[in-house]
Amino acid sequence: MRVAAPPFRLPAVALLPIVLATFAFAHAVLVGSSPSPDSTVKGPNVEISLKFNVRIDVARSRLELMLPGNTAERLPVREGKAANLMLAHATNLAPGKYKLLWQVLASDGHITRGEIAFSVQ
């Protein structure tokens, strides 16, 4: 007696490339930043650069700077030379601890958020 293979085995294998491709275009992941996490930078003016693993929509992304007194200041963002870069400039920062709160819209349509703590000397 011969047993036939279940009919779902071939379609599941055929879907594997689609599932893997979905993960390849997953949410934006921060792959580099300046200032880097937990670093100390020279003030009072700080150039900010965030690099992601995928293209981002800078026009629909946000960057806020948490000041030492726990107040937030929204920073105007601009596009970098590459589609996966977000740039900003913070001015007149006094010595202390700061936190960048970022939110980006990735090319896959998903929003990703994160934070970067740093200090100004």
Side-chain angles (χ1 to χ4, degrees), residues 3-9:
V3 178
F8 58 84
R9 185 175 289 174

Side-chain angles (χ1 to χ4, degrees), residues 68-112:
N70 268 352
T71 58
E73 176 183 307
R74 188 149 182 189
L75 297 174
V77 295
R78 62 187 192 281
E79 293 181 21
K81 291 182 181 180
N84 65 336
L85 288 177
M86 182 166 66
L87 306 174
H89 185 76
T91 58
N92 301 320
L93 300 182
K97 294 184 181 214
Y98 292 83
K99 193 182 295 185
L100 287 170
L101 305 173
W102 55 265
Q103 175 180 303
V104 296
L105 177 64
S107 57
D108 68 353
H110 290 99
I111 293 173
T112 307

Side-chain angles (χ1 to χ4, degrees), residues 11 57 62 64-65 71-73 82 84 96 98 113:
D57 184 344
R62 290 190 332 212
E64 289 185 342
L65 182 64
T71 58
E73 176 183 307
N84 65 336
Y98 292 83
R113 295 176 182 88

